[in-house]
Amino acid sequence: MVDLIKIKENVIKGEVDEVRDMVKKAVDEGQEVKKILDEGLISGISIVGDKYESGEFFLPEMVIAATAMKEGLKVLSPFLLRGDIKTAGTVIMGTAKGDIHDIGKTIVGTMLEGAGFTVTDIGVDVEPDKFVEAAKENDADLIGVSALLTTTMMGMEDIIKAVRGAGLKAKVMIGGASVTQEFADEIGADGYAPDAPSAVGKAKELVKG
Ligand code: B1M
């Protein structure tokens, strides 16, 4: 059996091939996909963040670790997508302006798809007006905004204002490492979720009305 701690260690070391191969092997062995994601990939990249914060790692290490994590995620994505029948609602997902972090957004979007939502991912570093445009084009029920930087998190309020200003029916859900429920309340977001599984629950609740 692949030891998930080894996957975590290889994410930290940025060993792209090892991470991809070990995740594949763990899936083939029948290990639980959520466990591989949480205990292998996410716990590895979290440690990379701590090491960056403490000055032990620099940007290149963070980039290569993120590349390794994404390779692992590619292997897991089809499993996160299981469930289908797209009836739950239409979602626009993007990362706030000035922010290029996309791993969490992609996981949340993929799990929403797996739960039956139709998801349009509009990418990273997205201007508030783009969220509005995409929501109009897709007649969205929900707009999901991710932000990982304390600076870009502040721009989320502009997205909410733009959505309300355009008179759209879409609710706005926010999330990302530095976002909290308190912050969501403060800026008037309709919902907040701390992680992908709870984002699915929150999205269902918000779309139901
Ligand atoms: Co950046 N980075 N980074 N980074 N990076 C952080 C966020 C940081 C906390 C690291 C640290 O110092 N400890 C720090 C932010 C500090 C702050 O503002 N408080 C930081 C910094 C400073 C930076 C740069 C400024 C560094 C620099 O250039 N000097 C720079 C900024 C670039 C920019 O955006 N303009 C930068 C760059 C990068 C990389 C490009 C190298 C890379 C991103 C690669 C990529 O995404 N393609 C990167 C990475 C990998 C990280 C860390 C290590 C990991 C982020 C991640 O992917 N986590 C991160 C440290 C950390 O978070 N501990 C860090 C895994 C992911 C699954 O978690 O995205 O939180 P997360 O998503 C979760 C939940 O938050 C939630 O569900 C997800 C799954 O459970 N969620 C939602 C997310 N979105 C949601 C939306 C929802 C609901 C839930 O509803 C819509």
Side-chain angles (χ1 to χ4, degrees):
M1 288 281 264
V2 172
D3 184 352
L4 300 184
I5 291 175
K6 293 273 177 228
I7 296 182
K8 168 176 157 180
E9 287 170 357
N10 278 299
V11 169
I12 298 168
K13 287 191 271 179
E15 298 287 357
V16 179
D17 295 342
E18 275 78 356
V19 170
R20 183 189 50 240
D21 294 348
M22 289 175 97
V23 169
K24 259 189 200 151
K25 191 154 185 268
V27 168
D28 289 345
E29 288 168 352
Q31 295 206 47
E32 200 191 322
V33 169
K34 189 178 178 308
K35 255 183 124 185
I36 304 171
L37 178 65
D38 288 345
E39 294 175 24
L41 300 178
I42 293 185
S43 93
I45 201 79
S46 302
I47 289 177
V48 171
D50 295 344
K51 286 183 183 291
Y52 175 79
E53 205 169 343
S54 69
E56 189 185 332
F57 273 14
F58 295 96
L59 200 54
E61 283 101 337
M62 199 151 72
V63 172
I64 186 74
T67 309
M69 161 136 196
K70 286 180 124 183
E71 276 301 305
L73 202 55
K74 268 192 217 159
V75 178
L76 294 184
S77 280
F79 301 92
L80 298 175
L81 267 171
R82 280 186 181 166
D84 296 290
I85 310 179
K86 308 213 177 300
T87 54
T90 303
V91 184
I92 301 298
M93 276 294 298
T95 301
K97 182 173 179 241
D99 200 321
I100 61 164
H101 294 88
D102 71 349
I103 296 174
K105 164 186 68 67
T106 304
I107 296 176
V108 171
T110 307
M111 287 193 72
L112 286 173
E113 280 193 86
F117 288 90
T118 302
V119 178
T120 303
D121 188 329
I122 56 172
V124 296
D125 187 16
V126 181
E127 297 273 352
D129 287 353
K130 286 261 180 248
F131 280 98
V132 172
E133 234 171 76
K136 270 189 193 157
E137 264 169 32
N138 293 278
D139 190 27
D141 302 298
L142 182 68
I143 297 174
V145 191
S146 183
L148 267 81
L149 301 171
T150 37
T151 45
T152 57
M153 182 179 115
M154 295 305 162
M156 287 170 142
E157 191 172 3
D158 295 336
I159 299 166
I160 294 169
K161 281 184 184 153
V163 171
R164 307 270 197 263
L168 301 183
K169 67 165 184 187
K171 304 265 176 67
V172 181
M173 173 166 76
I174 64 170
S178 26
V179 181
T180 60
Q181 181 66 60
E182 290 68 37
F183 179 73
D185 294 340
E186 208 178 293
I187 64 168
D190 297 296
Y192 157 77
D195 54 37
S198 49
V200 171
K202 182 54 76 177
K204 284 183 179 163
E205 190 188 309
L206 290 172
V207 167
K208 246 190 230 158

